[in-house]
Amino acid sequence: VDNLPVRATTTTTTSSANVVKEWKKPDDVAPINEGFVIPSQVNYVGMGGPILVPGSTVKGSYAVAARHLSTGHLWDQVRVVGGAYGGFGRFSEASGRFIYLSYRDPNCIDTINVYDSSPDALTETELSSEDLLQAVIGAVGDLDAPLSADHRGFVSLVQYLNGQTPADRQRWRSEVLATQGSDFHEFAEHLRKLRETGSIVVFGTQSAIDSANSKLPVNRQMKVEQAMQGSKK
């Protein structure tokens, strides 16, 4: 509140939209790998962290690559092959973070391995012009999804607070439409950082978490806690 201006200002500044913001957090909060045992027969497997440093310019093409990864590799390997109810990824252009998520997942370590293989999936898959077009269309669809009146108001508020102008939104849209295969490779290189720096958080069965820990290197093993008391159902 102390940082809010006390009156309107006419000062013109360079827009900081589409630039990764620096997020402050308490000094005692550090990224750790955690496993929470719950009375369940399935798991909820997450992994993520920052892939862009504060101040980095975020390209609209990154949203296309992230969406393609979510609806392609992650959907195929986590849901279709792995048997989870869902598997996807989410990229935040504001924070520069990417997170992998699965839910009602019978696997744990196999899903983490799929996450680790995702950058390779982006770089090794030969995208046809039709594949690229479909990825772009999907990303544009996210931009132009129908909004209710209250949602339009909220989006407008967020844009105002972030200093996002119509010119910023047009630049983002233009970059989405101009996405090339090389942009997928560039995004994959950023994504590779999560193999070393990404935090793993799992809500699931004791056996799945223990099995994952036995196969993960020491620096990636999860600290295990009992999230809920009770027997499996």
Side-chain angles (χ1 to χ4, degrees):
V1 173
D2 292 337
N3 291 328
L4 292 174
V6 295
R7 62 181 61 85
T9 175
T10 58
T11 302
T12 301
T13 59
T14 302
S15 173
S16 62
N18 305 126
V19 173
V20 176
K21 312 299 188 297
E22 183 171 8
W23 299 89
K24 296 182 179 180
K25 63 180 184 296
D27 294 335
D28 59 345
V29 176
I32 58 174
N33 303 309
E34 298 177 288
F36 296 94
V37 177
I38 59 175
S40 171
Q41 295 181 347
V42 291
N43 310 294
Y44 301 79
V45 184
M47 188 179 89
I51 62 173
L52 297 173
V53 299
S56 300
T57 299
V58 186
K59 296 182 178 180
S61 58
Y62 291 172
V64 181
R67 193 182 192 284
H68 176 77
L69 179 65
S70 184
T71 58
H73 176 70
L74 293 176
W75 177 268
D76 292 341
Q77 297 302 316
V78 178
R79 174 168 168 71
V80 178
V81 176
Y85 270 39
F88 52 91
R90 292 290 183 267
F91 173 65
S92 168
E93 62 269 20
S95 66
R97 294 175 179 270
F98 188 92
I99 56 173
Y100 299 97
L101 294 167
S102 74
Y103 61 95
R104 294 192 63 81
D105 190 345
N107 305 300
C108 183
I109 186 61
D110 289 345
T111 297
I112 294 172
N113 290 337
V114 169
Y115 297 163
D116 286 342
S117 70
S118 294
D120 295 334
L122 279 179
T123 57
E124 293 175 1
T125 302
E126 291 294 332
L127 287 174
S128 66
S129 57
E130 183 176 347
D131 291 333
L132 189 58
L133 177 61
Q134 290 300 318
V136 170
I137 290 174
V140 171
D142 292 338
L143 292 175
D144 293 331
L147 303 175
S148 61
D150 63 326
H151 198 181
R152 286 200 302 273
F154 178 75
V155 169
S156 179
L157 173 63
V158 171
Q159 291 170 348
Y160 175 78
L161 294 176
N162 283 334
Q164 189 181 77
T165 66
D168 294 322
R169 294 194 291 276
Q170 181 57 54
R171 181 182 70 80
W172 183 266
R173 183 180 296 270
S174 297
E175 290 177 351
V176 167
L177 293 172
T179 299
Q180 302 294 323
S182 58
D183 295 312
F184 281 47
H185 292 196
E186 185 176 318
F187 184 73
E189 290 306 310
H190 292 302
L191 206 56
R192 290 186 200 282
K193 299 174 184 176
L194 296 184
R195 292 177 177 175
E196 299 296 330
T197 62
S199 296
I200 299 170
V201 178
V202 175
F203 284 79
T205 67
Q206 181 79 60
S207 60
I209 293 173
D210 288 345
S211 177
N213 272 343
S214 69
K215 298 173 183 177
L216 288 168
V218 174
N219 65 314
R220 301 187 74 192
Q221 289 178 0
M222 293 170 276
K223 177 183 176 182
V224 184
E225 307 226 6
Q226 193 77 24
M228 297 174 63
Q229 299 295 328
S231 59
K232 295 180 181 179
K233 296 182 179 180

